[in-house]
Amino acid sequence: MFFRRKFPGQATLLLTLLICESVLAADADREAGKLAYNQCIGCHSFAYHRTGPKHCNLIGRIAGTAKNFEYSDAMHISRVVWSRETLNDFLASPLTYMPGTSMGFIGVKNSDQRMNLVEYLVHQSESDQCDP
Ligand code: HEC
């Protein structure tokens, strides 16, 4: 009772703390994902094509369809639609998932690291730097 009278807003406070915590956790995962993306920046950027295609607006896009990038036939005809699931599977082992792809990268073997990386890709591919 005393506690209740003294802290009437405790439920709200608790809720706020819980929400903040999950937002912070998501931020932390994305930070880890950003670090993992260091494995990609030799060939990719979000806004520009490099050796690999740009990563802006990746989610929901059919694989191999970024304009002005020359893909392998394997990627071009794959009809894969990029989502959290397909990115996770592709990035675990690109050549197993898509035999014939010209992405010369062994894959991200650690599943936690891969999950954080995918979250980072999802978030970043729709960020301000990707606005037309
Ligand atoms: C050695 C260079 C290289 C590295 C390193 C690399 N990629 Fe790629 N990536 C490519 C190339 C080249 C393609 C086009 C592949 C094709 O046409 O088969 C590609 C294609 C992709 C695609 C398909 C995009 C589309 O437009 O459909 C995704 C997604 C992707 N890479 C993600 C990543 C991520 C995430 C990393 C880091 C973990 C990474 N790549 C590391 C070269 C690279």
Side-chain angles (χ1 to χ4, degrees), residues 37 39-40 43-44 51-53 55 58 61-66 69 71-72 75 82 87 90-91 101-105 108 117 121:
Y37 194 70
Q39 299 169 83
C40 323
C43 298
H44 288 281
T51 308
H55 281 155
L58 196 57
R61 190 161 69 62
I62 299 175
T65 56
F69 186 85
Y71 291 92
S72 65
M75 181 77 75
W82 294 125
L87 280 171
F90 173 65
L91 292 173
T101 180
S102 56
M103 174 155 139
F105 178 72
V108 179
L117 175 62
L121 280 171

Coordinates of all heavy atoms in Angstrom, one line a residue, residues 37 39-40 43-44 51-53 55 58 61-66 69 71-72 75 82 87 90-91 101-105 108 117 121, ligand 1:
Y37 N 28.8 -6.2 -40.9 CA 28.7 -5.6 -42.3 C 30.1 -5.3 -42.8 O 30.3 -5.1 -44.0 CB 27.8 -4.5 -42.4 CG 27.4 -4.1 -43.8 CD1 26.5 -4.9 -44.5 CD2 27.8 -2.9 -44.4 CE1 26.2 -4.5 -45.8 CE2 27.5 -2.5 -45.6 CZ 26.7 -3.4 -46.4 OH 26.3 -3.0 -47.7
Q39 N 32.4 -7.1 -43.1 CA 32.8 -8.2 -44.0 C 32.3 -8.0 -45.5 O 32.7 -8.7 -46.4 CB 32.2 -9.6 -43.5 CG 32.7 -10.0 -42.2 CD 31.9 -11.1 -41.6 OE1 32.1 -12.3 -41.9 NE2 30.8 -10.8 -40.8
C40 N 31.4 -7.1 -45.6 CA 30.7 -6.9 -46.9 C 31.2 -5.7 -47.7 O 31.1 -5.6 -48.9 CB 29.2 -6.7 -46.8 SG 28.5 -7.8 -45.5
C43 N 33.1 -5.1 -51.0 CA 32.4 -5.3 -52.3 C 31.0 -4.6 -52.4 O 30.5 -4.4 -53.5 CB 32.1 -6.8 -52.5 SG 33.5 -7.8 -52.7
H44 N 30.5 -4.2 -51.2 CA 29.1 -3.6 -51.3 C 29.1 -2.2 -50.5 O 29.8 -2.0 -49.6 CB 28.1 -4.5 -50.5 CG 27.8 -5.7 -51.2 ND1 26.8 -5.8 -52.2 CD2 28.2 -7.0 -51.0 CE1 26.7 -7.1 -52.6 NE2 27.5 -7.8 -51.9
T51 N 31.8 -3.9 -56.5 CA 31.9 -5.2 -57.1 C 30.6 -5.9 -57.0 O 30.2 -6.7 -57.8 CB 33.0 -6.0 -56.3 OG1 34.2 -5.3 -56.2 CG2 33.3 -7.3 -57.0
G52 N 29.9 -5.7 -55.9 CA 28.5 -6.2 -55.7 C 27.5 -5.1 -55.8 O 27.8 -3.9 -55.7
P53 N 26.2 -5.5 -56.0 CA 25.2 -4.5 -56.1 C 24.9 -3.7 -54.8 O 25.2 -4.2 -53.7 CB 23.9 -5.4 -56.5 CG 24.2 -6.7 -55.9 CD 25.7 -6.9 -56.0
H55 N 22.9 -2.1 -51.7 CA 21.9 -2.8 -50.8 C 20.7 -2.0 -50.4 O 19.9 -2.5 -49.6 CB 22.7 -3.3 -49.5 CG 23.5 -4.5 -49.7 ND1 24.6 -4.8 -49.0 CD2 23.3 -5.5 -50.6 CE1 25.1 -6.0 -49.4 NE2 24.3 -6.4 -50.4
L58 N 16.5 -3.4 -50.4 CA 16.7 -4.8 -50.7 C 15.5 -5.6 -50.3 O 15.1 -6.6 -51.1 CB 17.9 -5.3 -49.8 CG 18.6 -6.6 -50.1 CD1 19.1 -6.6 -51.5 CD2 19.8 -6.8 -49.1
R61 N 12.5 -7.1 -52.6 CA 12.9 -7.0 -54.0 C 13.3 -8.4 -54.5 O 13.8 -9.2 -53.7 CB 14.2 -6.0 -54.1 CG 14.6 -5.7 -55.5 CD 15.4 -4.4 -55.5 NE 16.8 -4.6 -54.9 CZ 17.7 -5.4 -55.4 NH1 17.4 -6.2 -56.4 NH2 18.9 -5.4 -54.9
I62 N 13.1 -8.6 -55.8 CA 13.5 -9.9 -56.3 C 15.0 -9.9 -56.6 O 15.5 -8.8 -57.0 CB 12.8 -10.2 -57.7 CG1 11.3 -10.2 -57.5 CG2 13.2 -11.5 -58.3 CD1 10.4 -10.3 -58.7
A63 N 15.7 -10.9 -56.2 CA 17.1 -11.0 -56.3 C 17.6 -10.7 -57.7 O 16.9 -11.1 -58.7 CB 17.6 -12.4 -55.9
G64 N 18.7 -10.0 -57.9 CA 19.2 -9.8 -59.2 C 18.5 -8.8 -60.0 O 18.5 -8.8 -61.3
T65 N 17.8 -7.8 -59.4 CA 17.1 -6.8 -60.2 C 17.4 -5.4 -59.9 O 16.7 -4.5 -60.3 CB 15.5 -7.0 -59.9 OG1 15.3 -6.9 -58.5 CG2 15.0 -8.3 -60.4
A66 N 18.5 -5.1 -59.2 CA 19.0 -3.7 -59.0 C 19.4 -3.2 -60.4 O 20.1 -3.9 -61.2 CB 20.1 -3.6 -58.0
F69 N 23.2 -3.2 -62.8 CA 24.2 -4.1 -62.2 C 24.2 -5.4 -63.0 O 23.1 -5.9 -63.3 CB 24.0 -4.4 -60.7 CG 25.1 -5.2 -60.1 CD1 26.3 -4.6 -59.7 CD2 25.1 -6.6 -60.1 CE1 27.4 -5.3 -59.2 CE2 26.1 -7.3 -59.6 CZ 27.3 -6.7 -59.1
Y71 N 24.4 -9.1 -63.1 CA 24.4 -10.2 -62.2 C 24.8 -11.5 -62.9 O 24.8 -11.6 -64.2 CB 23.0 -10.4 -61.7 CG 22.5 -9.4 -60.7 CD1 21.8 -8.3 -61.2 CD2 22.7 -9.5 -59.3 CE1 21.3 -7.3 -60.3 CE2 22.3 -8.6 -58.4 CZ 21.6 -7.5 -58.9 OH 21.1 -6.5 -58.1
S72 N 25.1 -12.5 -62.2 CA 25.3 -13.9 -62.7 C 24.0 -14.4 -63.2 O 22.9 -13.9 -62.7 CB 25.9 -14.8 -61.6 OG 24.9 -15.0 -60.6
M75 N 21.9 -15.7 -60.2 CA 21.1 -14.7 -59.4 C 20.0 -14.2 -60.2 O 18.9 -14.0 -59.7 CB 22.1 -13.6 -59.0 CG 21.5 -12.5 -58.1 SD 21.3 -12.9 -56.4 CE 22.9 -12.9 -55.7
W82 N 14.0 -11.1 -51.5 CA 14.8 -10.9 -50.3 C 13.9 -10.6 -49.1 O 13.1 -9.6 -49.2 CB 15.9 -9.8 -50.5 CG 16.9 -10.2 -51.5 CD1 17.3 -9.5 -52.6 CD2 17.8 -11.4 -51.5 NE1 18.3 -10.2 -53.3 CE2 18.6 -11.3 -52.6 CE3 17.9 -12.5 -50.6 CZ2 19.6 -12.3 -52.9 CZ3 18.8 -13.4 -50.9 CH2 19.7 -13.4 -52.0
L87 N 17.5 -13.9 -46.8 CA 18.8 -13.3 -46.6 C 19.6 -14.2 -45.6 O 20.8 -14.5 -45.8 CB 18.7 -11.9 -46.0 CG 18.4 -10.8 -47.0 CD1 18.1 -9.5 -46.4 CD2 19.6 -10.6 -48.0
F90 N 20.7 -17.3 -47.5 CA 21.7 -17.0 -48.5 C 23.1 -16.7 -47.9 O 24.1 -17.2 -48.3 CB 21.3 -15.8 -49.4 CG 22.3 -15.2 -50.3 CD1 22.7 -16.0 -51.4 CD2 22.7 -13.9 -50.2 CE1 23.6 -15.5 -52.3 CE2 23.7 -13.4 -51.1 CZ 24.1 -14.2 -52.2
L91 N 23.0 -15.9 -46.8 CA 24.3 -15.4 -46.2 C 25.0 -16.5 -45.4 O 26.2 -16.4 -45.2 CB 24.0 -14.2 -45.3 CG 23.6 -12.9 -46.2 CD1 23.2 -11.8 -45.2 CD2 24.7 -12.5 -47.1
T101 N 26.4 -18.4 -58.2 CA 26.4 -17.0 -57.9 C 27.9 -16.5 -58.0 O 28.8 -17.3 -57.7 CB 25.9 -16.6 -56.5 OG1 26.0 -15.2 -56.3 CG2 26.7 -17.3 -55.4
S102 N 28.0 -15.3 -58.4 CA 29.4 -14.7 -58.6 C 29.8 -14.0 -57.3 O 30.8 -13.3 -57.3 CB 29.4 -13.8 -59.8 OG 28.5 -12.8 -59.6
M103 N 29.0 -14.1 -56.2 CA 29.4 -13.5 -55.0 C 30.4 -14.4 -54.3 O 30.1 -15.5 -53.8 CB 28.2 -13.3 -54.0 CG 28.6 -12.8 -52.7 SD 27.2 -11.9 -51.9 CE 27.3 -12.5 -50.2
G104 N 31.7 -14.0 -54.4 CA 32.8 -14.8 -53.9 C 33.0 -14.6 -52.4 O 33.9 -13.9 -52.0
F105 N 32.1 -15.1 -51.6 CA 32.1 -14.9 -50.2 C 31.7 -16.2 -49.5 O 30.6 -16.8 -49.9 CB 31.2 -13.8 -49.8 CG 31.1 -13.5 -48.4 CD1 32.2 -12.9 -47.7 CD2 30.0 -13.8 -47.7 CE1 32.1 -12.6 -46.3 CE2 29.9 -13.5 -46.3 CZ 31.0 -12.9 -45.6
V108 N 28.5 -16.2 -43.6 CA 28.6 -15.8 -42.2 C 28.1 -17.0 -41.4 O 26.9 -17.3 -41.4 CB 27.7 -14.6 -41.9 CG1 27.8 -14.2 -40.4 CG2 28.1 -13.4 -42.7
L117 N 23.3 -9.2 -38.5 CA 23.6 -8.6 -39.8 C 22.3 -8.4 -40.6 O 22.1 -7.4 -41.2 CB 24.6 -9.6 -40.5 CG 24.9 -9.2 -42.0 CD1 25.6 -7.8 -42.0 CD2 25.8 -10.3 -42.6
L121 N 20.8 -5.0 -42.1 CA 20.5 -4.9 -43.6 C 19.0 -4.4 -43.7 O 18.8 -3.5 -44.5 CB 20.6 -6.2 -44.3 CG 22.0 -6.6 -44.7 CD1 22.0 -8.1 -45.2 CD2 22.6 -5.7 -45.8
Ligands
HEC1 C1 34.0 -10.5 -52.8 C2 32.9 -9.6 -53.0 C3 31.7 -9.8 -52.1 C4 31.6 -9.8 -50.8 C5 32.7 -9.8 -49.7 C6 30.2 -9.8 -50.5 N1 29.5 -9.8 -51.6 FE1 27.4 -9.8 -51.8 N2 27.6 -9.8 -53.8 C7 28.7 -9.8 -54.5 C8 28.4 -9.9 -55.9 C9 29.5 -9.9 -57.1 C10 27.0 -10.1 -56.0 C11 26.2 -10.4 -57.3 C12 26.1 -11.9 -57.3 C13 25.5 -12.5 -58.5 O1 25.2 -11.9 -59.5 O2 25.4 -13.8 -58.5 C14 26.5 -10.0 -54.7 C15 25.2 -10.1 -54.3 C16 24.7 -9.9 -53.1 C17 23.2 -9.9 -52.8 C18 22.1 -10.0 -53.7 C19 21.7 -8.5 -54.0 C20 20.7 -8.3 -55.1 O3 20.7 -7.2 -55.7 O4 19.8 -9.2 -55.4 C21 23.2 -9.7 -51.4 C22 21.9 -9.6 -50.6 C23 24.5 -9.7 -50.9 N3 25.4 -9.8 -51.9 C24 24.8 -9.5 -49.6 C25 26.1 -9.5 -49.1 C26 26.4 -9.4 -47.7 C27 25.4 -9.1 -46.6 C28 27.8 -9.5 -47.6 C29 28.6 -9.5 -46.3 C30 28.3 -10.5 -45.3 C31 28.3 -9.7 -48.9 N4 27.3 -9.7 -49.8 C32 29.7 -9.9 -49.2 C33 30.0 -9.6 -54.0 C34 30.3 -9.7 -52.7

